[in-house]
Amino acid sequence: IMRYRNKGYVIKFELKDGYSIYCSYNFIKENNKYGVNLYLTRNNIDFLDKIDTYYLEGDKGTIKTVIVKFVEEKYNEGFFNYYIERIVYMLKCFDKGNEMFEDERLHDKD
């Protein structure tokens, strides 16, 4: 039987310019807080870029509100801009590398 880890629940936030933030959260008994994993994705590709894990205080009835406030604060600070730029850079590197490999492949057929 395969083992699994419960990663909790997920909330999605739509950002401007085709990006979204996914927050998975679950209660961590050891420190009596919620572990919140933040991921950024560009909506037109199937890729999640993990930002970090944060530990937030709240209870079952308030944790979603706490997460919303946390993400709004980070967004208003411009926190996600770095991670958006990181995805843009990664995709540009992929495109350049793919172009190079395609050129090699096409020239190998000659």
Side-chain angles (χ1 to χ4, degrees), residues 30-93:
E30 293 80 37
N31 60 8
N32 204 31
K33 293 183 179 182
Y34 278 85
V36 180
N37 298 299
L38 263 61
Y39 300 89
L40 177 70
T41 188
R42 197 160 99 179
N43 296 335
N44 64 345
I45 60 174
D46 191 19
F47 172 75
L48 288 176
D49 186 14
K50 184 169 183 186
I51 295 173
D52 207 349
T53 301
Y54 298 89
Y55 297 94
L56 305 178
E57 292 185 14
D59 59 38
K60 197 173 187 175
T62 63
I63 190 58
K64 288 181 185 177
T65 304
V66 170
I67 293 170
V68 168
K69 287 180 183 177
F70 178 76
V71 171
E72 282 178 342
E73 277 181 23
K74 293 292 190 187
Y75 178 77
N76 290 333
E77 293 170 2
F79 175 80
F80 298 114
N81 294 340
Y82 166 80
Y83 297 97
I84 290 171
E85 292 297 320
R86 189 165 79 173
I87 288 178
V88 169
Y89 178 79
M90 180 197 67
L91 292 173
K92 284 180 181 179
C93 289

Coordinates of all heavy atoms in Angstrom, one line a residue, residues 30-93:
E30 N 1.6 20.0 16.0 CA 2.8 20.2 16.8 C 3.0 21.7 17.2 O 3.5 22.0 18.3 CB 4.1 19.8 16.0 CG 4.1 18.3 15.8 CD 3.3 17.8 14.6 OE1 3.2 18.5 13.6 OE2 2.7 16.7 14.8
N31 N 2.7 22.6 16.3 CA 2.9 24.1 16.6 C 1.6 24.8 16.7 O 1.6 26.0 16.8 CB 3.9 24.7 15.7 CG 3.5 24.7 14.2 OD1 2.3 24.3 13.9 ND2 4.3 25.2 13.4
N32 N 0.5 24.1 16.6 CA -0.9 24.7 16.8 C -1.1 25.8 15.8 O -1.8 26.8 16.2 CB -1.1 25.1 18.2 CG -2.5 25.2 18.6 OD1 -3.4 24.4 18.1 ND2 -2.9 26.1 19.5
K33 N -0.6 25.7 14.6 CA -0.9 26.7 13.5 C -1.2 25.9 12.3 O -1.1 24.7 12.1 CB 0.4 27.5 13.3 CG 0.8 28.4 14.5 CD 2.0 29.2 14.2 CE 2.3 30.1 15.4 NZ 3.4 31.0 15.1
Y34 N -1.6 26.7 11.3 CA -1.9 26.2 10.0 C -0.7 26.4 9.1 O -0.1 27.5 9.0 CB -3.1 26.9 9.3 CG -4.4 26.3 9.8 CD1 -5.0 26.8 10.9 CD2 -5.0 25.3 9.0 CE1 -6.2 26.3 11.3 CE2 -6.3 24.8 9.4 CZ -6.8 25.3 10.6 OH -8.0 24.7 11.0
G35 N -0.2 25.3 8.4 CA 0.8 25.4 7.4 C 0.2 25.8 6.1 O -0.7 25.1 5.6
V36 N 0.6 26.9 5.5 CA 0.1 27.4 4.3 C 1.2 27.4 3.2 O 2.1 28.1 3.3 CB -0.5 28.8 4.4 CG1 -1.1 29.3 3.1 CG2 -1.6 28.8 5.6
N37 N 1.0 26.6 2.2 CA 1.9 26.5 1.1 C 1.4 27.4 0.0 O 0.3 27.2 -0.5 CB 2.1 25.1 0.5 CG 2.6 24.2 1.6 OD1 3.7 24.3 2.1 ND2 1.8 23.2 2.0
L38 N 2.3 28.4 -0.5 CA 1.9 29.3 -1.6 C 2.5 28.8 -2.9 O 3.7 28.5 -2.9 CB 2.3 30.7 -1.3 CG 1.3 31.6 -0.7 CD1 0.8 31.1 0.7 CD2 1.9 33.0 -0.5
Y39 N 1.8 28.7 -3.9 CA 2.2 28.4 -5.3 C 1.7 29.4 -6.2 O 0.6 29.9 -6.1 CB 1.7 27.0 -5.7 CG 2.0 25.9 -4.8 CD1 1.2 25.5 -3.8 CD2 3.2 25.1 -5.1 CE1 1.6 24.5 -2.9 CE2 3.5 24.1 -4.3 CZ 2.7 23.7 -3.2 OH 3.1 22.7 -2.4
L40 N 2.6 29.8 -7.2 CA 2.2 30.7 -8.3 C 2.1 29.9 -9.6 O 2.9 29.0 -9.8 CB 3.2 31.8 -8.5 CG 3.0 32.8 -9.6 CD1 1.8 33.7 -9.3 CD2 4.2 33.6 -9.8
T41 N 1.1 30.2 -10.4 CA 1.0 29.5 -11.7 C 0.6 30.6 -12.7 O 0.0 31.6 -12.4 CB 0.0 28.4 -11.7 OG1 0.0 27.7 -12.9 CG2 -1.4 28.9 -11.4
R42 N 1.0 30.3 -13.9 CA 0.5 31.1 -15.1 C -0.6 30.2 -15.6 O -0.5 29.0 -15.9 CB 1.6 31.3 -16.1 CG 1.2 32.4 -17.1 CD 2.4 33.0 -17.8 NE 2.4 32.4 -19.1 CZ 3.3 32.7 -20.0 NH1 4.3 33.5 -19.7 NH2 3.3 32.1 -21.2
N43 N -1.8 30.9 -15.8 CA -3.0 30.1 -16.1 C -3.0 29.4 -17.4 O -3.8 28.4 -17.6 CB -4.2 31.1 -16.1 CG -4.4 31.6 -14.7 OD1 -4.1 31.1 -13.7 ND2 -5.0 32.8 -14.6
N44 N -2.1 29.7 -18.4 CA -2.1 29.0 -19.6 C -1.2 27.9 -19.7 O -1.0 27.3 -20.8 CB -1.9 30.0 -20.8 CG -0.5 30.7 -20.7 OD1 0.2 30.6 -19.7 ND2 -0.1 31.3 -21.8
I45 N -0.5 27.5 -18.6 CA 0.4 26.4 -18.6 C 0.1 25.6 -17.3 O -0.4 26.1 -16.4 CB 1.9 26.8 -18.6 CG1 2.3 27.6 -17.4 CG2 2.2 27.4 -19.9 CD1 3.8 27.9 -17.3
D46 N 0.5 24.3 -17.4 CA 0.2 23.4 -16.3 C 1.5 23.3 -15.4 O 2.3 22.4 -15.6 CB -0.2 22.0 -16.8 CG -0.7 21.1 -15.7 OD1 -1.1 21.6 -14.6 OD2 -0.8 19.9 -15.9
F47 N 1.7 24.3 -14.6 CA 3.0 24.4 -13.8 C 2.7 25.2 -12.5 O 2.1 26.2 -12.6 CB 4.0 25.1 -14.6 CG 5.3 25.4 -13.9 CD1 6.2 24.4 -13.6 CD2 5.6 26.7 -13.4 CE1 7.4 24.7 -12.9 CE2 6.7 27.0 -12.7 CZ 7.6 26.0 -12.4
L48 N 3.1 24.6 -11.4 CA 3.0 25.3 -10.1 C 4.4 25.6 -9.6 O 5.3 24.7 -9.5 CB 2.3 24.5 -9.1 CG 0.8 24.2 -9.2 CD1 0.3 23.3 -8.1 CD2 0.1 25.6 -9.1
D49 N 4.7 26.9 -9.3 CA 6.0 27.3 -8.8 C 5.8 27.5 -7.3 O 5.1 28.5 -6.9 CB 6.4 28.6 -9.5 CG 7.8 29.0 -9.1 OD1 8.6 28.2 -8.5 OD2 8.2 30.2 -9.4
K50 N 6.4 26.7 -6.5 CA 6.2 26.9 -5.0 C 7.0 28.1 -4.6 O 8.2 28.3 -4.9 CB 6.7 25.6 -4.3 CG 6.4 25.8 -2.8 CD 6.6 24.5 -2.0 CE 6.3 24.8 -0.5 NZ 6.6 23.7 0.3
I51 N 6.3 28.9 -3.8 CA 6.9 30.1 -3.3 C 7.5 29.8 -1.9 O 8.7 29.9 -1.7 CB 5.9 31.3 -3.2 CG1 5.4 31.7 -4.6 CG2 6.4 32.4 -2.4 CD1 4.3 32.7 -4.6
D52 N 6.7 29.4 -1.0 CA 7.2 29.1 0.4 C 6.0 28.5 1.2 O 4.9 28.5 0.8 CB 7.8 30.3 1.1 CG 8.9 30.0 2.1 OD1 9.0 28.8 2.5 OD2 9.6 30.9 2.5
T53 N 6.4 28.1 2.4 CA 5.4 27.7 3.4 C 5.4 28.7 4.5 O 6.4 29.1 5.0 CB 5.7 26.3 4.0 OG1 5.8 25.3 2.9 CG2 4.7 25.8 5.0
Y54 N 4.2 29.1 4.9 CA 4.0 30.1 6.0 C 3.2 29.4 7.1 O 2.3 28.6 6.8 CB 3.4 31.3 5.5 CG 4.2 32.0 4.5 CD1 4.1 31.7 3.1 CD2 5.1 33.0 4.9 CE1 4.9 32.4 2.2 CE2 5.9 33.6 3.9 CZ 5.8 33.3 2.6 OH 6.6 33.9 1.7
Y55 N 3.4 29.8 8.3 CA 2.6 29.2 9.4 C 1.7 30.4 10.0 O 2.2 31.4 10.5 CB 3.5 28.6 10.5 CG 4.3 27.5 9.9 CD1 5.5 27.7 9.3 CD2 3.7 26.2 9.8 CE1 6.2 26.6 8.7 CE2 4.4 25.2 9.2 CZ 5.6 25.4 8.7 OH 6.3 24.3 8.1
L56 N 0.4 30.2 9.9 CA -0.5 31.2 10.3 C -1.4 30.8 11.4 O -1.8 29.6 11.4 CB -1.4 31.7 9.1 CG -0.6 32.1 7.8 CD1 -1.6 32.4 6.7 CD2 0.3 33.3 8.1
E57 N -1.8 31.7 12.3 CA -2.7 31.4 13.4 C -4.1 31.6 13.0 O -4.4 32.6 12.3 CB -2.3 32.2 14.6 CG -1.0 31.9 15.2 CD -0.7 32.6 16.4 OE1 -1.6 33.2 17.0 OE2 0.5 32.6 16.8
G58 N -4.9 30.7 13.4 CA -6.4 30.8 13.1 C -7.0 29.5 13.6 O -6.3 28.6 14.0
D59 N -8.3 29.4 13.5 CA -9.0 28.2 13.8 C -9.8 27.8 12.5 O -9.8 28.4 11.5 CB -9.9 28.3 15.0 CG -11.0 29.4 14.9 OD1 -11.5 29.6 13.7 OD2 -11.2 30.1 15.8
K60 N -10.5 26.7 12.7 CA -11.2 26.1 11.5 C -12.2 27.1 10.9 O -12.3 27.1 9.7 CB -11.9 24.8 12.0 CG -12.4 23.9 10.9 CD -12.9 22.6 11.4 CE -13.2 21.7 10.3 NZ -13.6 20.4 10.8
G61 N -12.8 27.9 11.7 CA -13.7 28.9 11.2 C -13.1 30.2 10.6 O -13.8 30.9 9.9
T62 N -11.9 30.5 11.0 CA -11.3 31.8 10.5 C -10.1 31.6 9.6 O -9.7 32.7 9.0 CB -10.8 32.6 11.8 OG1 -9.8 31.9 12.4 CG2 -12.0 32.9 12.7
I63 N -9.6 30.4 9.4 CA -8.4 30.3 8.6 C -8.5 30.8 7.2 O -7.5 31.4 6.7 CB -7.8 28.9 8.7 CG1 -6.4 28.8 8.1 CG2 -8.7 27.9 8.0 CD1 -5.4 29.7 8.8
K64 N -9.6 30.6 6.5 CA -9.7 31.2 5.2 C -9.6 32.7 5.2 O -9.0 33.2 4.3 CB -11.0 30.7 4.5 CG -11.0 29.2 4.2 CD -12.3 28.8 3.5 CE -12.4 27.3 3.3 NZ -13.7 26.9 2.7
T65 N -10.3 33.3 6.1 CA -10.2 34.8 6.2 C -8.7 35.2 6.5 O -8.3 36.2 5.9 CB -11.1 35.3 7.3 OG1 -12.4 34.9 7.0 CG2 -11.1 36.8 7.4
V66 N -8.0 34.5 7.3 CA -6.6 34.8 7.7 C -5.8 34.7 6.4 O -4.9 35.6 6.1 CB -6.1 33.9 8.8 CG1 -4.6 34.1 9.0 CG2 -6.9 34.2 10.1
I67 N -6.0 33.6 5.6 CA -5.2 33.4 4.4 C -5.5 34.5 3.4 O -4.6 35.0 2.7 CB -5.5 32.0 3.8 CG1 -5.0 30.9 4.8 CG2 -4.9 31.9 2.4 CD1 -5.4 29.5 4.4
V68 N -6.8 34.9 3.2 CA -7.2 35.9 2.3 C -6.5 37.2 2.6 O -5.9 37.9 1.8 CB -8.7 36.2 2.2 CG1 -9.1 37.4 1.5 CG2 -9.4 35.0 1.6
K69 N -6.5 37.6 3.9 CA -5.8 38.8 4.4 C -4.3 38.7 4.1 O -3.7 39.7 3.7 CB -6.1 39.1 5.8 CG -7.5 39.6 6.1 CD -7.7 39.8 7.6 CE -9.2 40.3 7.8 NZ -9.4 40.4 9.2
F70 N -3.7 37.6 4.4 CA -2.3 37.4 4.2 C -1.9 37.6 2.7 O -1.0 38.3 2.3 CB -1.9 36.0 4.7 CG -0.4 35.6 4.5 CD1 0.5 36.2 5.3 CD2 -0.1 34.8 3.4 CE1 1.9 35.9 5.1 CE2 1.3 34.5 3.2 CZ 2.2 35.0 4.1
V71 N -2.7 36.9 1.8 CA -2.4 37.0 0.4 C -2.6 38.4 -0.1 O -1.8 38.9 -0.9 CB -3.2 36.0 -0.4 CG1 -3.1 36.2 -1.9 CG2 -2.8 34.5 -0.1
E72 N -3.7 39.1 0.3 CA -3.9 40.5 -0.1 C -2.8 41.4 0.3 O -2.3 42.2 -0.4 CB -5.2 41.0 0.5 CG -6.5 40.5 -0.2 CD -7.8 41.0 0.5 OE1 -7.7 41.4 1.7 OE2 -8.8 40.9 -0.2
E73 N -2.3 41.2 1.6 CA -1.1 42.0 2.0 C 0.1 41.8 1.1 O 0.8 42.7 0.7 CB -0.7 41.6 3.5 CG -1.6 42.3 4.5 CD -1.1 41.9 5.9 OE1 0.1 41.4 6.1 OE2 -1.9 42.0 6.8
K74 N 0.4 40.5 0.9 CA 1.5 40.2 0.0 C 1.4 40.8 -1.4 O 2.3 41.3 -2.0 CB 1.8 38.7 -0.1 CG 2.2 38.0 1.2 CD 3.6 38.5 1.6 CE 4.1 37.7 2.8 NZ 5.4 38.3 3.2
Y75 N 0.2 40.7 -1.9 CA -0.1 41.2 -3.3 C 0.1 42.7 -3.3 O 0.7 43.3 -4.2 CB -1.5 40.8 -3.7 CG -1.9 41.4 -5.0 CD1 -1.4 40.8 -6.2 CD2 -2.7 42.5 -5.2 CE1 -1.7 41.3 -7.5 CE2 -3.0 43.0 -6.4 CZ -2.5 42.4 -7.6 OH -2.8 42.9 -8.8
N76 N -0.5 43.4 -2.3 CA -0.4 44.9 -2.2 C 1.1 45.4 -2.0 O 1.4 46.5 -2.5 CB -1.3 45.5 -1.1 CG -2.7 45.3 -1.5 OD1 -3.1 45.3 -2.7 ND2 -3.6 45.2 -0.5
E77 N 1.9 44.6 -1.4 CA 3.3 44.9 -1.2 C 4.1 44.6 -2.5 O 5.3 45.0 -2.6 CB 3.9 44.0 -0.1 CG 3.4 44.3 1.3 CD 3.9 43.2 2.3 OE1 4.7 42.3 1.9 OE2 3.5 43.3 3.4
G78 N 3.5 44.0 -3.5 CA 4.3 43.6 -4.7 C 5.1 42.4 -4.6 O 6.0 42.1 -5.4
F79 N 4.8 41.6 -3.5 CA 5.6 40.4 -3.2 C 5.6 39.4 -4.3 O 6.7 38.8 -4.6 CB 5.0 39.8 -1.9 CG 5.6 38.5 -1.6 CD1 6.8 38.4 -0.9 CD2 5.0 37.3 -1.9 CE1 7.3 37.2 -0.5 CE2 5.5 36.0 -1.5 CZ 6.7 36.0 -0.8
F80 N 4.5 39.3 -5.1 CA 4.5 38.2 -6.1 C 5.2 38.6 -7.4 O 5.4 37.8 -8.3 CB 3.0 37.9 -6.4 CG 2.3 37.3 -5.2 CD1 1.3 38.0 -4.6 CD2 2.7 36.1 -4.6 CE1 0.6 37.5 -3.5 CE2 2.1 35.6 -3.5 CZ 1.1 36.2 -2.9
N81 N 5.5 39.9 -7.6 CA 6.2 40.3 -8.8 C 7.5 39.6 -9.1 O 7.7 39.2 -10.2 CB 6.5 41.8 -8.7 CG 5.2 42.7 -8.7 OD1 4.1 42.2 -9.1 ND2 5.3 43.9 -8.2
Y82 N 8.3 39.3 -8.0 CA 9.5 38.6 -8.2 C 9.2 37.2 -8.8 O 9.9 36.7 -9.7 CB 10.3 38.5 -6.9 CG 11.3 37.4 -6.9 CD1 12.6 37.7 -7.5 CD2 11.1 36.2 -6.4 CE1 13.6 36.8 -7.5 CE2 12.1 35.2 -6.4 CZ 13.4 35.5 -7.0 OH 14.4 34.6 -7.0
Y83 N 8.2 36.5 -8.3 CA 7.9 35.2 -8.7 C 7.3 35.1 -10.1 O 7.5 34.2 -10.8 CB 7.0 34.5 -7.6 CG 7.7 34.4 -6.3 CD1 7.5 35.3 -5.3 CD2 8.6 33.4 -6.1 CE1 8.2 35.3 -4.1 CE2 9.3 33.3 -4.9 CZ 9.1 34.3 -3.9 OH 9.8 34.2 -2.7
I84 N 6.5 36.2 -10.4 CA 6.0 36.3 -11.8 C 7.2 36.4 -12.8 O 7.3 35.7 -13.8 CB 5.0 37.4 -11.9 CG1 3.7 37.1 -11.2 CG2 4.8 37.8 -13.4 CD1 2.8 38.3 -11.1
E85 N 8.2 37.3 -12.4 CA 9.3 37.5 -13.2 C 10.1 36.2 -13.4 O 10.7 35.9 -14.4 CB 10.2 38.6 -12.7 CG 9.6 40.0 -12.8 CD 9.4 40.4 -14.3 OE1 10.3 40.1 -15.1 OE2 8.4 41.0 -14.5
R86 N 10.2 35.4 -12.3 CA 10.9 34.1 -12.3 C 10.3 33.2 -13.3 O 11.0 32.5 -14.0 CB 10.9 33.5 -10.9 CG 11.8 32.3 -10.7 CD 12.0 32.0 -9.3 NE 10.9 31.3 -8.7 CZ 11.0 30.8 -7.4 NH1 12.0 31.0 -6.7 NH2 9.9 30.2 -6.9
I87 N 8.9 33.1 -13.3 CA 8.3 32.2 -14.3 C 8.5 32.7 -15.7 O 8.8 32.0 -16.6 CB 6.8 32.1 -14.0 CG1 6.5 31.3 -12.8 CG2 6.0 31.5 -15.2 CD1 5.1 31.2 -12.3
V88 N 8.4 34.1 -15.9 CA 8.7 34.6 -17.3 C 10.1 34.2 -17.7 O 10.3 33.8 -18.8 CB 8.5 36.2 -17.2 CG1 9.0 36.8 -18.5 CG2 7.0 36.5 -17.0
Y89 N 11.1 34.4 -16.8 CA 12.5 34.1 -17.1 C 12.6 32.6 -17.5 O 13.3 32.2 -18.4 CB 13.4 34.4 -16.0 CG 14.8 34.1 -16.2 CD1 15.7 34.9 -16.9 CD2 15.4 32.9 -15.6 CE1 17.0 34.6 -17.1 CE2 16.7 32.6 -15.8 CZ 17.5 33.5 -16.6 OH 18.8 33.1 -16.8
M90 N 12.0 31.7 -16.7 CA 12.1 30.3 -16.9 C 11.5 29.9 -18.3 O 12.1 29.1 -19.0 CB 11.3 29.5 -15.8 CG 11.3 28.0 -16.0 SD 10.1 27.2 -15.0 CE 8.6 27.7 -15.7
L91 N 10.4 30.5 -18.6 CA 9.8 30.2 -19.9 C 10.6 30.7 -21.1 O 10.7 30.1 -22.1 CB 8.3 30.8 -20.0 CG 7.3 30.1 -19.0 CD1 6.0 30.9 -19.0 CD2 7.2 28.7 -19.4
K92 N 11.2 31.9 -20.9 CA 12.1 32.4 -21.9 C 13.3 31.4 -22.1 O 13.8 31.2 -23.2 CB 12.6 33.8 -21.6 CG 11.6 34.9 -21.8 CD 12.2 36.3 -21.5 CE 11.2 37.3 -21.7 NZ 11.7 38.7 -21.3
C93 N 13.9 31.0 -21.0 CA 15.0 30.0 -21.1 C 14.5 28.7 -21.8 O 15.3 28.2 -22.6 CB 15.5 29.7 -19.7 SG 16.4 31.0 -18.9

